[in-house]
Amino acid sequence: MAEVITMPRLSDTMTEGKVAKWHKKVGDKVKEGDILAEIETDKAVQDFESEIEGTLLYVGVEEGSAAAVDSVLAIIGNEGEDISGLTGGAAAPAAATEEKKSEEQPKAETAAPAAAEVPAGVEIITMPRLSDTMTEGKVAKWHKNVGDTVKEGDLLAEIETDKAVQDFESEFNGVLLKQGVEEGGAAPVDSVLAIIGPAGTDVSAVGAPKAAGQSTEKPAEQKTEAKPEEKAAPAANSSSSDRVAISPLAKKMAQDKGVDISSVQGSGENGRIVKKDIENYQPAVKQAASAPAASAAPVAVSFVQGEDTETPNSQVRNIIAKRLSESKFTAPHYYLMVEINMDKAIEARKEINSLPDTKISFNDMIIKATAIALRKHPQVNSSWAGDKIIHRGNINIGVAVAIPDGLVVPVLKNTDQMTYTQISAAVKDMASRAKSKGLKANEMEGSTFSISNLGMFGIETFTSIINQPNSAILSVGAIIEKPIVKDGQIVVGNTMKLSLACDHRVVDGATGAQFLQTLRTYLESPLTLLL
């Protein structure tokens, strides 16, 4: 019996998918696990495998076209099977295909004049959407100049999004004929980024024209200076995780869990990463400890007496300003503060760190305790969505990390299921890569709660702005040694102040207070985390 295959939802923000390429055509035999098509989502292009066997009887979305999630993508069944009832009265597959071709022929002819300005063999590359919130991209660095030969997989440029700087590879072979955006310049998503085609092709009429001299003189100067580095760039990028052999399901699981697929050993055919590899993956604890998460060096600003200077805003800085303004002025913030006795937490940390190859920080302990507390108070792990409140099924904690350009929030996926050592290794790894702009967009998406720690700077107490779409953020101060009253006696103790900022649309005062009480219990009596 024929089976209808619908457009899959390959990311949490995906509403439609585009068929970048069909690997099977109508009439082809399909086996379970065969790649049917490459689906372009709002974040990446992913292989889509068949889960059933049979013959491909119907293609619901043409190559290069898009369709909504859950719409008919394809139909697989027995050869010659009647599927008119599944396609809304469409003719037999072969006939339908021929009809489509004949119907589309006139359209192609009428569209020809419009496309005539694009010479044969020329490919227009547009500014990619590298994150779900990205509206424009900035070219941080070009790795190829006009006139350079480009191969598929070569690193074209580094694109700075609202969250990170990411390498952007070419999908075509040819010569770089035009740079649509200058190095350091920004352009909207889907605008012309570059044009690749046969050497000597005139592309002056393609895309928005550039100022005279920009596409010839400047690249020529760069070409003589940067050529040695360019040759090394593609080799350095050849291990990109985008080219790791991995099934779509495994890739989605890896994104949800925050697993770096380049470090996973695949057990499938030809080393392909499959579902069980992600399920069984355990991150290695890295011994090289990075600097504290919030201790990145600020952008160097020179002081000259009596002279005002300016620093152009980076893409990250602009987005930080926009997002925090939106959060502060749309979400009604209120703040709850509590003082924690950290004496037992200090003792517990000493015992844990006495174990071989183990070293955790107080921040790791706070992250773990927070994740467990969120299990008991799911309302705090929720989001406002206009006419409804979304209660998140996973506990993904974002950890604020200072970088020279401002602040980013890498996310620990399923934090409540992680051990102290896993949390420690993940935080050190992501903090280190955040400062070198090595984080990927998906590693900064999907948080359900955030933590900001300024204790290492000696800050005793502060309040933070909520990281939307979260409904709360925890601000962590320094551990201070001071006199406290214990059993009616004044003794020396170690205390730490926590501040919880809540969105009153989602988290009521009593709910926030109960969450802090639970968190206080876990930190003052660390053994309760085991209960």
Side-chain angles (χ1 to χ4, degrees):
M1 181 177 177
E3 294 281 348
V4 175
I5 299 173
T6 58
M7 178 66 72
R9 187 184 300 277
L10 299 174
S11 77
D12 52 353
T13 56
M14 177 179 171
T15 58
E16 69 172 14
K18 178 179 179 181
V19 178
K21 182 178 181 181
W22 279 103
H23 285 265
K24 299 287 185 181
K25 60 180 182 292
V26 172
D28 284 356
K29 298 292 184 182
V30 180
K31 294 180 181 179
E32 184 178 356
D34 281 359
I35 297 177
L36 271 182
E38 294 176 19
I39 306 295
E40 183 178 346
T41 73
D42 55 338
K43 296 179 179 177
V45 177
Q46 299 187 38
D47 292 341
F48 180 65
E49 299 175 353
S50 173
E51 296 180 356
I52 57 178
E53 296 189 359
T55 300
L56 182 58
L57 302 174
Y58 178 78
V59 169
V61 184
E62 293 291 323
E63 191 169 290
S65 299
V69 168
D70 295 332
S71 61
V72 177
L73 175 64
I75 298 177
I76 293 177
N78 297 323
E79 189 173 355
E81 186 174 351
D82 180 17
I83 57 167
S84 57
L86 299 176
T87 60
T97 306
E98 290 303 318
E99 281 181 24
K100 275 189 176 180
K101 285 182 180 177
S102 60
E103 287 173 5
E104 289 169 1
Q105 195 67 31
K107 293 182 182 178
E109 290 173 3
T110 55
E117 63 182 56
V118 181
V122 168
E123 297 288 349
I124 299 176
I125 300 174
T126 58
M127 178 65 72
R129 187 183 300 277
L130 298 174
S131 78
D132 54 343
T133 56
M134 177 179 171
T135 56
E136 70 172 13
K138 179 179 179 181
V139 177
K141 182 179 180 181
W142 278 104
H143 284 268
K144 295 288 183 181
N145 296 306
V146 172
D148 286 355
T149 299
V150 180
K151 295 180 181 179
E152 183 180 357
D154 279 2
L155 184 60
L156 264 185
E158 295 176 18
I159 306 295
E160 183 178 344
T161 73
D162 56 337
K163 296 180 178 178
V165 176
Q166 297 190 43
D167 292 340
F168 180 68
E169 299 177 355
S170 172
E171 297 179 358
F172 309 102
N173 296 323
V175 172
L176 182 58
L177 302 173
K178 182 176 181 178
Q179 293 175 343
V181 184
E182 289 202 6
E183 190 168 294
V189 168
D190 295 331
S191 60
V192 176
L193 174 64
I195 299 177
I196 292 176
T201 306
D202 180 14
V203 294
S204 56
V206 180
K210 294 168 68 178
Q214 286 182 353
S215 63
T216 55
E217 295 176 14
K218 192 166 184 180
E221 293 171 7
Q222 294 173 345
K223 191 169 182 177
T224 57
E225 296 173 5
K227 198 70 176 177
E229 295 177 7
E230 289 164 12
K231 289 183 181 179
N237 194 58
S238 61
S239 60
S240 170
S241 62
D242 292 339
R243 300 193 173 274
V244 173
I246 182 171
S247 72
L249 177 58
K251 190 169 187 177
K252 181 68 168 61
M253 291 175 63
Q255 290 174 348
D256 292 342
K257 292 188 175 185
V259 173
D260 180 6
I261 59 176
S262 63
S263 62
V264 179
Q265 185 67 39
S267 62
E269 185 179 358
N270 297 322
R272 186 182 181 87
I273 299 172
V274 294
K275 176 183 176 183
K276 66 179 181 180
D277 298 323
I278 302 299
E279 290 176 335
N280 300 329
Y281 174 73
Q282 295 293 333
V285 179
K286 297 190 177 180
Q287 298 301 318
S290 62
S295 62
V299 176
V301 178
S302 58
F303 175 81
V304 180
Q305 182 67 41
E307 182 179 329
D308 294 342
T309 60
E310 296 180 352
T311 302
N313 287 341
S314 66
Q315 196 77 349
V316 173
R317 174 61 66 184
N318 284 331
I319 295 300
I320 289 172
K322 181 181 178 181
R323 295 281 182 264
L324 293 184
S325 296
E326 289 174 350
S327 178
K328 187 66 175 177
F329 298 125
T330 59
H333 286 54
Y334 72 90
Y335 305 94
L336 301 172
M337 299 182 187
V338 67
E339 191 171 48
I340 310 289
N341 186 323
M342 293 293 287
D343 288 340
K344 289 186 178 179
I346 291 172
E347 292 175 10
R349 178 173 176 263
K350 285 181 180 177
E351 290 185 21
I352 293 171
N353 286 344
S354 66
L355 298 173
D357 301 323
T358 303
K359 187 174 183 180
I360 66 168
S361 66
F362 289 113
N363 196 51
D364 302 329
M365 298 180 72
I366 294 165
I367 292 171
K368 177 67 174 178
T370 300
I372 302 303
L374 287 170
R375 280 187 191 169
K376 293 195 172 183
H377 303 276
Q379 188 71 16
V380 183
N381 197 55
S382 304
S383 300
W384 179 259
D387 59 346
K388 59 189 174 185
I389 293 174
I390 301 173
H391 306 288
R392 302 297 179 182
N394 294 322
I395 296 173
N396 303 331
I397 294 185
V399 181
V401 174
I403 60 173
D405 284 337
L407 187 76
V408 294
V409 187
V411 181
L412 301 178
K413 304 293 176 67
N414 297 301
T415 319
D416 55 320
Q417 300 173 26
M418 300 175 72
T419 64
Y420 280 134
T421 51
Q422 288 174 334
I423 291 173
S424 178
V427 170
K428 289 173 183 174
D429 172 54
M430 290 197 291
S432 175
R433 289 191 290 118
K435 293 164 195 171
S436 62
K437 297 185 177 180
L439 284 177
K440 298 175 183 176
N442 69 293
E443 294 179 301
M444 292 179 281
E445 296 175 352
S447 68
T448 59
F449 186 93
S450 300
I451 295 177
S452 179
N453 190 341
L454 293 179
M456 67 281 295
F457 294 114
I459 303 299
E460 291 188 40
T461 184
F462 67 103
T463 58
S464 301
I465 298 175
I466 296 169
N467 179 35
Q468 297 285 346
N470 300 172
S471 294
I473 183 171
L474 184 71
S475 304
V476 182
I479 297 176
I480 305 295
E481 189 177 48
K482 68 176 188 180
I484 62 172
V485 177
K486 189 174 183 179
D487 298 328
Q489 301 293 319
I490 297 177
V491 297
V492 176
N494 295 276
T495 65
M496 177 182 70
K497 291 181 180 178
L498 301 178
S499 170
L500 182 69
C502 300
D503 182 344
H504 215 320
R505 297 173 299 179
V506 180
V507 182
D508 293 329
T511 303
Q514 290 165 358
F515 169 78
L516 276 182
Q517 280 184 337
T518 301
L519 180 56
R520 180 178 191 166
T521 299
Y522 288 151
L523 291 173
E524 291 188 340
S525 304
L527 288 178
T528 56
L529 284 170
L530 305 176
L531 300 177

